[in-house]
Amino acid sequence: MNNTPPNFSEPNIICLHDLPIGKEAIVNSILADGLIRRRMMDLGLVPGTTVAALRVSPSGDPRAYKIRGAVIAFRQEEGSKILVHIKEE
């Protein structure tokens, strides 16, 4: 079980779900456990991976992200368990 608290002390660390459309970020940590964590890692979502927020569905959930050349959608529940560091422009 991953009981690591969110590390919001670093500047520009946010949940993936809060990443503005059109922005890129680098995965800082994954707070999910079990099968969800495994699925995220199998998709290539590991610390150090660059993620770009592409679009949001008309209902607002899920959101689409570009990860290692693939477009992957995460719902808010999943995206809020991924901490990212926003890339400086």
Side-chain angles (χ1 to χ4, degrees):
M1 195 135 188
N2 183 5
N3 292 324
T4 306
N7 183 6
F8 290 108
S9 62
E10 289 186 40
N12 299 327
I13 298 288
I14 61 170
C15 293
L16 180 62
H17 184 77
D18 296 330
L19 183 64
I21 301 303
K23 295 285 186 181
E24 287 189 348
I26 298 172
V27 175
N28 181 286
S29 59
I30 299 173
L31 304 177
D33 292 321
L35 292 175
I36 300 293
R37 180 180 180 85
R38 179 64 187 203
R39 176 181 171 246
M40 290 175 181
M41 294 180 80
D42 287 346
L43 292 170
L45 200 62
V46 295
T49 301
T50 299
V51 178
L54 298 179
R55 61 181 77 83
V56 61
S57 72
S59 66
D61 196 32
R63 292 175 174 246
Y65 304 93
K66 187 170 187 177
I67 302 169
R68 297 184 184 257
V71 177
I72 299 171
F74 287 113
R75 296 202 175 276
Q76 181 177 2
E77 179 182 348
E78 298 162 326
S80 64
K81 294 181 180 183
I82 302 164
L83 298 183
V84 297
H85 179 267
I86 298 175
K87 282 187 165 183
E88 298 297 324
E89 300 204 19

